[in-house]
């Protein structure tokens, strides 16, 4: 944290604005993600966290502002460069988003089909699939279908699918929502271990204060469409601002 | 008030038509681009064939039976029962086979595609595909439209054959007409001007069913509740487009042959 100024910036978002019709969801949002850190973004439901992260990965277009990922400007990217960047950025969706018509194995192999280049020629993806499944502790599920998995298992398989490309940045959209406290805790521990093992930089969107406390190097509160306040968990949880302290009351 | 309702209805009709045309345009842009998702295309063909074969076969068979049973007394009355095979075959090949099969497939395949893609959209699976570097339009939409365009003509041919066979059974049973005699009559009656236009139009039926189903599913909104509505709308609109294509094809054929 001390020399954060000299650390490499993986993601820079400047003055991001995004509206749906009349409804302005993001109104000049700023953010920087440094190499190797875990940045937690908190905000009320409907405050635009998912919208922000989707703009970041190019799933939604933004109205104005700039997004830079690993020194490349998202707006000026052609489709090929965007795909290249996407191999380096993993995305864990809010609802897991496993392909229900495919088995766990096929789900994990799917991202590999287009990104073979990163691993050279690949005759048999099984070792990579197994490695990813083992890192989430579910190697025995390889031949199951998504409908045979519990919510927590789905979340982990989705995480494995994200990990299989060994991304440098992982974006987590509410990784613990909808799970019981114990499973949530397991997922958070898993995220932490992945962080340590692969040295990824992560953006974690969450409502879960315990998760934030455990995992955050830095936090941003997204309120009224802007980065309302930035700081460590300890700093923010001591804040006097009622809008900020509301998040930490239990 | 009523005027408002009709104009806004008309408006959304034109908007929808425009968007559908746009979607079709995008299909033609992407269909020739690499990579070709050949495996997924085959899987879709297999699924569609597999899911509709029995239904289309049974319906075709019954249509053949019923059609022959019901026209027979009239034909006898007119003293034209010898013409029955030609009449039945022309009606089935030109119109009944293609349209019934297309409508069944609009219900079976169109709604299936609409619901599947709709569910994938609302559960973010399409976004997940996009993020993982696979173009979801190519992988999901292009393969499905190609598969319906290929499979529906095949299903129509099969349904025509089964319907003619059903009709033959009645003739054989009631009129003691042999297999060779019946099908001799059938093939004598049929000309290329019956076969070619009706085959060409089935490709358009297939394309339309795939296109509407994919369009509806791909832009599905309003969460899980939207998926049901999407499947429903896919069937209704696909059936309507099938009728429009049918009408247009008859007009075009008519103009073509009257020159
Ligand atoms: N495709 C869309 N069309 C119109 N409005 C949208 C769309 N997507 C999001 N919104 C609006 O943007 C706002 C922010 O949505 P978003 O999904 O980012 O919320 P969120 O902060 O992720 O909330 P949650 O914690 O519940 O996931 C909401 O008010 C929503 O209505
Ligand atoms: Mg969200």
């Amino acid at each position: 944290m001390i020399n954060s100024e000299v650390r490499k910036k993986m993601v820079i978002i400047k003055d991001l604005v995004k509206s749906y019709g009349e409804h302005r969801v993001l109104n000049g949002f700023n953010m920087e993600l440094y190499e190797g850190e875990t940045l937690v973004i908190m905000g009320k439901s409907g405050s635009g966290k998912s919208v922000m992260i989707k703009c970041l990965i190019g799933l939604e277009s933004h109205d104005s502002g700039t997004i830079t990922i690993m020194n490349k400007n998202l707006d000026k990217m052609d489709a090929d460069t965007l795909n290249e960047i996407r191999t380096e950025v993993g995305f864990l969706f809010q609802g897991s988003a496993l392909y229900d018509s495919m088995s766990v194995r096929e789900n994990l192999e799917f991202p590999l089909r287009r990104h073979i280049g990163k691993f050279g020629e690949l005759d048999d993806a099984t070792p990579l699939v197994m490695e990813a499944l083992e890192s989430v502790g579910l190697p025995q599920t390889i031949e199951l279908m998504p409908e045979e998995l519990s919510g927590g298992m789905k979340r982990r398989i989705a995480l494995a699918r994200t990990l299989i490309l060994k991304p440098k940045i992982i974006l987590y959209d509410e990784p613990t929502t909808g799970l019981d406290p114990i499973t949530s805790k397991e997922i958070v521990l898993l995220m932490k271990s992945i962080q340590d093992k692969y040295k990824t930089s992560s953006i974690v969107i969450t409502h879960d204060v315990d998760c934030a406390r455990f995992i955050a190097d830095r936090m941003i509160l997204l309120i009224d469409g802007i980065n309302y306040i930035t700081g460590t968990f300890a700093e923010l949880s001591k804040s006097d601002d009622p809008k900020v302290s509301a998040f930490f009351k239990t | 008030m009523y005027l408002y309702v009709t104009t806004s209805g008309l408006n959304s009709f034109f908007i929808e038509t425009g968007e559908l045309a746009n979607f079709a345009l995008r299909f033609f842009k992407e269909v020739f681009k690499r990579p070709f998702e050949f495996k997924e295309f085959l899987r879709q063909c297999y699924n569609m064939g597999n899911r509709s074969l029995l239904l289309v076969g049974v319906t075709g068979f019954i249509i053949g039976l019923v059609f022959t049973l019901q026209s027979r007394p009239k034909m006898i009355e007119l003293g034209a029962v010898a013409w029955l095979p030609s009449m039945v075959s022309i009606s089935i090949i030109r119109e009944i086979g293609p349209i019934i099969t297309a409508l069944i497939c609009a219900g079976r395949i169109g709604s299936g595609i609409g619901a599947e893609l709709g569910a994938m959209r609302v559960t973010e699976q399409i976004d997940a595909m996009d993020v993982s570097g696979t173009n979801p339009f190519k992988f999901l939409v292009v393969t499905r439209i190609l598969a319906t365009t290929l499979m529906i003509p095949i299903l129509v041919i099969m349904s025509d054959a089964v319907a003619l066979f059903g009709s033959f059974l009645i003739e054989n049973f009631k009129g003691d007409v042999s297999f060779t005699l019946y099908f001799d009559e059938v093939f004598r009656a049929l000309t290329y001007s019956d076969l070619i236009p009706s085959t060409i139009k089935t490709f358009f039926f297939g394309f339309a069913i795939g296109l509407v189903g994919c369009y509806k599913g791909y832009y599905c909104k309003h969460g899980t509740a939207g998926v049901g509505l999407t499947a429903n709308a896919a069937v209704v609109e696909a059936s309507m487009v099938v009728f429009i294509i049918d009408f247009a094809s008859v007009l075009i054929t008519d103009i073509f042959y009257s020159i």
Side-chain angles (χ1 to χ4, degrees):
Chain A
M1 281 312 299
I2 310 140
N3 51 358
S4 64
E5 291 315 311
V6 297
R7 278 161 75 191
K8 205 166 131 194
K9 290 174 184 170
M10 302 298 279
V11 177
I12 305 168
I13 296 182
K14 266 214 170 75
D15 301 321
L16 188 68
V17 175
K18 168 79 187 171
S19 310
Y20 288 104
E22 293 288 289
H23 178 35
R24 186 166 275 208
V25 180
L26 296 173
N27 193 10
F29 180 80
N30 289 280
M31 189 203 86
E32 284 168 349
L33 175 72
Y34 296 100
E35 189 168 24
E37 81 167 338
T38 301
L39 176 66
V40 167
I41 296 179
M42 275 173 99
K44 276 195 287 199
S45 196
S47 57
K49 303 178 301 292
S50 298
V51 170
M52 187 278 289
I53 214 167
K54 280 182 183 162
C55 289
L56 174 54
I57 191 80
L59 280 174
E60 292 272 357
S61 59
H62 51 275
D63 304 339
S64 66
T66 53
I67 298 176
T68 315
I69 305 176
M70 297 193 289
N71 295 323
K72 293 204 178 79
N73 188 332
L74 193 74
D75 303 298
K76 301 197 181 91
M77 254 179 229
D78 54 76
D80 288 338
T81 328
L82 181 62
N83 270 343
E84 216 170 282
I85 287 288
R86 281 173 172 176
T87 64
E88 306 293 354
V89 184
F91 194 133
L92 187 70
F93 283 85
Q94 198 163 344
S96 301
L98 295 179
Y99 310 125
D100 357 89
S101 59
M102 302 181 199
S103 70
V104 169
R105 175 200 289 277
E106 289 165 326
N107 261 284
L108 267 69
E109 281 172 353
F110 198 86
L112 292 174
R113 338 171 323 123
R114 284 290 156 265
H115 297 313
I116 296 296
K118 197 169 172 182
F119 299 97
E121 273 306 309
L122 203 64
D123 291 328
D124 183 13
T126 311
L128 282 172
V129 172
M130 281 316 279
E131 187 195 335
L133 282 177
E134 265 155 25
S135 59
V136 299
L138 288 174
Q140 71 281 10
T141 60
I142 185 158
E143 301 301 342
L144 297 182
M145 296 300 285
E147 72 224 24
E148 297 171 274
L149 306 171
S150 72
M153 288 159 99
K154 276 189 194 148
R155 209 61 66 88
R156 288 179 189 216
I157 300 293
L159 190 51
R161 188 176 66 183
T162 313
L163 288 177
I164 200 160
L165 288 173
K166 307 222 164 59
K168 295 202 174 73
I169 302 170
I170 304 185
L171 313 175
Y172 297 90
D173 194 353
E174 308 202 11
T176 59
T177 311
L179 302 176
D180 65 83
I182 297 167
T183 317
S184 299
K185 183 98 200 180
E186 284 171 10
I187 297 276
V188 174
L189 286 172
L190 191 59
M191 286 161 63
K192 184 89 179 163
S193 77
I194 284 162
Q195 173 78 10
D196 294 341
K197 188 167 159 198
Y198 297 104
K199 306 279 178 260
T200 49
S201 323
S202 328
I203 298 178
V204 182
I205 289 176
T206 186
H207 301 286
D208 183 344
V209 179
D210 292 325
C211 166
R213 188 198 334 260
F214 187 74
I215 209 163
D217 294 323
R218 234 159 30 97
M219 292 180 67
I220 292 179
L221 293 191
L222 201 175
I223 302 175
D224 304 331
I226 57 163
N227 46 318
Y228 190 77
I229 187 170
T230 307
T232 62
F233 185 89
E235 285 162 13
L236 297 197
S237 57
K238 281 192 219 102
S239 167
D240 298 327
D241 187 328
K243 277 189 179 174
V244 176
S245 58
F247 282 95
F248 298 94
K249 276 195 205 114
T250 39
Chain B
M1 173 65 197
Y2 285 113
L3 192 69
Y4 171 74
V5 171
T6 32
T7 52
S8 78
L10 213 59
N11 248 346
S12 64
F13 171 78
F14 283 123
I15 291 171
E16 178 109 3
T17 312
E19 281 175 353
L20 199 59
N22 227 341
F23 198 73
L25 214 65
R26 185 164 169 205
F27 167 82
F28 286 113
K29 263 189 219 149
E30 304 229 10
V31 70
F32 299 110
K33 268 197 240 154
R34 284 174 177 283
F36 305 114
E37 305 283 1
F38 196 65
K39 232 174 106 184
E40 177 68 9
F41 165 72
L42 285 185
R43 203 172 72 97
Q44 288 306 323
C45 287
Y46 175 78
N47 279 348
M48 286 171 191
N50 205 14
R51 264 193 313 205
S52 317
L53 201 66
L54 189 68
L55 194 64
V56 167
V58 170
T59 332
F61 186 68
I62 292 175
I63 297 265
L65 289 184
V66 171
F67 192 52
T68 312
L69 266 178
Q70 294 204 324
S71 356
R72 216 164 179 282
K74 206 73 204 164
M75 296 298 267
I76 290 173
E77 208 180 299
L78 296 172
V81 74
W83 287 26
L84 196 78
S86 2
M87 190 205 73
V88 169
S89 63
I90 289 177
S91 328
I92 285 179
I93 302 251
R94 272 198 169 183
E95 187 57 31
I96 301 177
I99 197 88
I100 297 276
T101 311
L103 289 179
I104 288 175
C105 291
R108 186 88 175 160
I109 298 176
S111 71
I113 293 176
E116 189 189 7
L117 295 195
M120 291 186 78
R121 168 62 74 195
V122 301
T123 57
E124 300 182 312
Q125 291 174 47
I126 294 184
D127 287 339
M129 243 173 222
D130 212 343
V131 170
S132 77
T134 293
N135 177 347
F137 193 91
K138 281 217 71 144
F139 188 81
L140 298 170
V141 174
V142 171
T143 53
R144 278 168 177 74
I145 295 181
L146 286 179
T148 53
T149 311
L150 178 73
M151 290 311 286
I152 282 164
I154 293 176
L155 287 167
V156 168
I157 290 171
M158 203 207 70
S159 145
D160 286 351
V162 176
L164 288 180
F165 184 72
S167 161
F168 154 73
L169 284 185
I170 297 291
E171 277 296 276
N172 183 256
F173 185 68
K174 292 229 168 181
D176 220 13
V177 177
S178 77
F179 188 82
T180 30
L181 180 60
Y182 184 86
F183 281 94
D184 254 7
E185 284 294 316
V186 166
F187 287 116
R188 188 145 24 150
L190 289 176
T191 61
Y192 283 112
S193 62
D194 298 315
L195 290 174
I196 293 173
S198 66
T199 308
I200 292 175
K201 81 177 171 192
T202 57
F203 284 96
F204 284 94
F205 288 168
F207 179 77
I209 290 169
L211 184 75
V212 173
C214 287
Y215 166 74
K216 284 281 160 193
Y218 202 72
Y219 294 117
C220 178
K221 285 197 190 94
H222 311 304
T224 6
V227 177
L229 296 178
T230 296
N232 206 320
V235 178
V236 174
E237 282 182 32
S239 312
M240 217 168 73
V241 176
V242 163
F243 279 120
I244 293 170
I245 291 173
D246 196 39
F247 181 60
S249 85
V250 171
L251 279 186
I252 292 168
T253 323
D254 200 45
I255 292 167
F256 200 69
Y257 281 102
S258 60
I259 296 172

